[in-house]
Amino acid sequence: MTKTETRIQKKNQAAILAAGLKVFSQYGFRGSTLDQIAKEAGLSKPNLIYYFASKDLIYKALLDRLLENWMEPIYQIDATGDPVEELIGYARRKLTMSQNYPAESRLFANEIIQGAPQIGDALRGELRRVVKKTASTIDAWVAAGRIQPVNPYHLIFSIWSITQHYADFDVQVKAVMGPEDPFPSAQDYLENMLRRMLTASPGASG
Amino acid sequence: MTKTETRIQKKNQAAILAAGLKVFSQYGFRGSTLDQIAKEAGLSKPNLIYYFASKDLIYKALLDRLLENWMEPIYQIDATGDPVEELIGYARRKLTMSQNYPAESRLFANEIIQGAPQIGDALRGELRRVVKKTASTIDAWVAAGRIQPVNPYHLIFSIWSITQHYADFDVQVKAVMGPEDPFPSAQDYLENMLRRMLTASPGASG
Amino acid sequence: MTKTETRIQKKNQAAILAAGLKVFSQYGFRGSTLDQIAKEAGLSKPNLIYYFASKDLIYKALLDRLLENWMEPIYQIDATGDPVEELIGYARRKLTMSQNYPAESRLFANEIIQGAPQIGDALRGELRRVVKKTASTIDAWVAAGRIQPVNPYHLIFSIWSITQHYADFDVQVKAVMGPEDPFPSAQDYLENMLRRMLTASPGASG
Amino acid sequence: MTKTETRIQKKNQAAILAAGLKVFSQYGFRGSTLDQIAKEAGLSKPNLIYYFASKDLIYKALLDRLLENWMEPIYQIDATGDPVEELIGYARRKLTMSQNYPAESRLFANEIIQGAPQIGDALRGELRRVVKKTASTIDAWVAAGRIQPVNPYHLIFSIWSITQHYADFDVQVKAVMGPEDPFPSAQDYLENMLRRMLTASPGASG
DNA sequence: TATGAATGAGGATTCATTCAT
DNA sequence: AATGAATGAATCCTCATTCAT
């Protein structure tokens, strides 16, 4: 019996989080309503509140879950691996994640644009730490002459922005490309860009 | 006398648009309230409505004004100029614009993330047209061997995403960089990236 | 100069009253707005207030003017005339008035339906007095055997209701008759009705 | 349990409709406020909205309910019955209805005076149809010499106007009659009027 | 666990009226 | 005599949350 309830609980919590993600990612926190989320989740509003005591908590639960996954790819960069392949691999994982989880990407974008009221601490804490470490790795690669000189922070920002662009600005991308055009591979573009960026002969930029 | 009234009108309309920009860019359309905007503009709510009949109209006026300015840089690309310098110049103008008008950038980002309910038509119309034309120009440059092979759409998207990132994700950028660090030039990074991207010796990417 | 102003004054006051009549007669007092009236009158709202200090005063001015005209027909009944012709003449004047001044009729109807907050006193005073007098006249005609027995109050009410019906319920009348049908004379019907009512041989109703 | 909830629902919906009827019938749609209705119904304003999503819907629900009842009496006219008794019976049913449901009558009057924005279609549709049919019946009775010549449309209008007058212009009727007078029977007057109207010897009107 | 009922605190907008010129 | 500017008081409606069951 407890088991059954737990199963229902999990099912409903998952449904609420899925619904919350869909709604929050499109309208932002303040622009979303519990009615929308409840309808999307197929639950009554009071029942929704039974699982998450407030609108705020649904949002926070989503962001908590998101943050873990969101930083995962960067942890996998191997300082002992081949620099170019490591960075291309990172970009590839980021892009795949954005393509597979566009709503999560938009939720994140909304949160940041609105000033990161919920995850500001995490950004200034864990995220800053891991980026700093990765920047050191890149700086070391540059110092060792294994990749072209590059500011590691800007490099990381550009990987973030390009990969997320396809999710966050999906509507604009589709508007510009037109509905019928076969969509050329962003993966290839990104890989190509990084390869040239990191391996271009110094003479080319002189 | 008429002049005085016009002056008040212009002053208040400008104040409302400035306030609306500030609020809408942070909270999105639905997440923003007239109370916030009125307070920010230093006007009473009914007086605000006296100048703009509805919340919607303030938002639309802002987007109309924005769209014009937003597309301006791409029009200045000269098909007869030096390809690399033209594209770098474009990226530089875009970045400068994002840096000078970060709120506008965020307003735009919010609108797109939420599905572009207001400017969808403009995206599918004028924006698509000018991007298509620019893509042709880039393709011609590639065909003439003046720049490295590159998908023009992805190139444009990457310029957009990187330049806007510094405005839209400002909070995250600052969180990661830390408050004290001297901010390395994004302008230089971007120029360097494009130069390598467009002029890398074919052998480098093979 | 004073003359000129007076001319403008009269013109504008007349325009306001005409506009107020049109608007109040359709939407009632509370359902009408100064904006509607000002627009209809071709004046600015503050200028309208310059002539009539409040919405209330426009309404009252209209009702005052109306009441006089509205009671006029009944005063013309001549107790020394031919009973049937006097009553038919009265009905005819009432019908003509409703046909020529349908908006006034609807204004009056609205005021009464809403409980006659403005003209209640006049109804209980002057109107009651003149109806009482007319009822006496009719009673005297009945007593003298000059018309069939009839309750004078109900007779008067039926004349009022029928004549006003064509103005107040104009929309319904037109809906029922259809747009194309030639409208048969209400005047003839009413005259015929009264003639039969007042002169029917007793045997007919037995 | 479900029953209890349904009971509350029905009770509150009924209370809202009763309150809406009272308020709308006096002030018209635009002149009425949800505050008034909520207070009259003994509910909070949001709770009122819980049952009827908008002011408009309360009004429409009232008119829908009303229209059915309002047309009922005319359907009961039997073309095979005695013409005079059928028409008198109809008038009697109409008068009884107005006396028992004066607020409904005023609601209807308000709607018509304001141009029948909600029920215009019903008037031009179902009402027009049934009146046309009734007019044919009356014409047939006249052609058969069973009642005096009379325009059936005007006859019907006069029955409507007289019977409704006692409800719609109740305030005026009471003002004119005075509070103390015993109210003479409108029923008798109306019956008498119709009997003379329909059976008057031709000579009487010649 | 679930939901119908209820509400206080907004939130967009309207409107009669006032103010300044 | 006229009008642009301004506003307090509604007015309709929304919404997160609570209550009762």
Side-chain angles (χ1 to χ4, degrees), chain B residues 64-80:
Chain B
D64 282 351
R65 205 181 58 172
L66 174 56
L67 261 175
E68 278 181 54
N69 296 334
W70 221 237
M71 293 199 283
E72 183 58 22
I74 203 170
Y75 285 115
Q76 296 175 24
I77 296 176
D78 179 5
T80 68

Side-chain angles (χ1 to χ4, degrees), chain B residues 29-40:
Chain B
F29 179 73
R30 292 184 49 182
S32 302
T33 74
L34 285 186
D35 266 322
Q36 289 176 291
I37 298 171
K39 195 176 181 183
E40 184 73 33

Side-chain angles (χ1 to χ4, degrees), chain C residues 172 175-178, chain D residues 67-79 87 90 93-94 108 121-139 141 152-153 156-157 160:
Chain C
Q172 184 179 235
V176 165
M177 301 297 293
Chain D
L67 261 175
E68 279 181 53
N69 296 333
W70 220 238
M71 293 200 282
E72 182 57 22
I74 203 171
Y75 285 115
Q76 296 175 22
I77 296 176
D78 178 5
L87 289 167
Y90 171 55
R93 289 193 298 276
K94 269 301 253 178
F108 188 77
D121 285 347
L123 298 186
R124 285 180 292 272
E126 182 59 12
L127 181 64
R128 183 170 188 216
R129 196 156 32 244
V130 63
V131 170
K132 203 170 190 177
K133 189 171 155 264
T134 307
S136 298
T137 301
I138 296 172
D139 278 335
W141 284 336
Y153 287 99
I156 291 168
F157 290 153
W160 288 354

Side-chain angles (χ1 to χ4, degrees), chain B residues 70-117:
Chain B
W70 221 237
M71 293 199 283
E72 183 58 22
I74 203 170
Y75 285 115
Q76 296 175 24
I77 296 176
D78 179 5
T80 68
D82 176 73
V84 174
E85 295 311 316
E86 287 298 323
L87 289 168
I88 285 175
Y90 171 55
R92 190 178 294 139
R93 290 194 297 277
K94 269 301 252 177
L95 184 61
T96 301
M97 182 163 276
S98 284
Q99 284 170 338
N100 290 346
Y101 302 99
E104 277 85 350
S105 186
R106 282 192 285 268
L107 182 71
F108 189 76
N110 259 315
E111 166 72 6
I112 304 287
I113 291 178
Q114 302 195 3

Side-chain angles (χ1 to χ4, degrees), chain A residues 5 9 12 47 51:
Chain A
E5 283 159 31
Q9 261 186 24
N12 282 344
N47 199 17
Y51 287 102

Side-chain angles (χ1 to χ4, degrees), chain D residues 31-80:
Chain D
S32 301
T33 73
L34 284 186
D35 265 324
Q36 290 175 290
I37 298 172
K39 194 175 180 182
E40 184 73 33
L43 296 171
S44 71
K45 233 191 317 182
N47 199 19
L48 191 137
I49 292 290
Y50 175 73
Y51 289 101
F52 289 86
S54 73
K55 181 182 169 183
D56 208 62
L57 284 179
I58 304 175
Y59 187 67
K60 281 179 177 160
L62 281 169
L63 279 180
D64 281 352
R65 204 180 59 171
L66 174 56
L67 261 175
E68 279 181 53
N69 296 333
W70 220 238
M71 293 200 282
E72 182 57 22
I74 203 171
Y75 285 115
Q76 296 175 22
I77 296 176
D78 178 5
T80 67

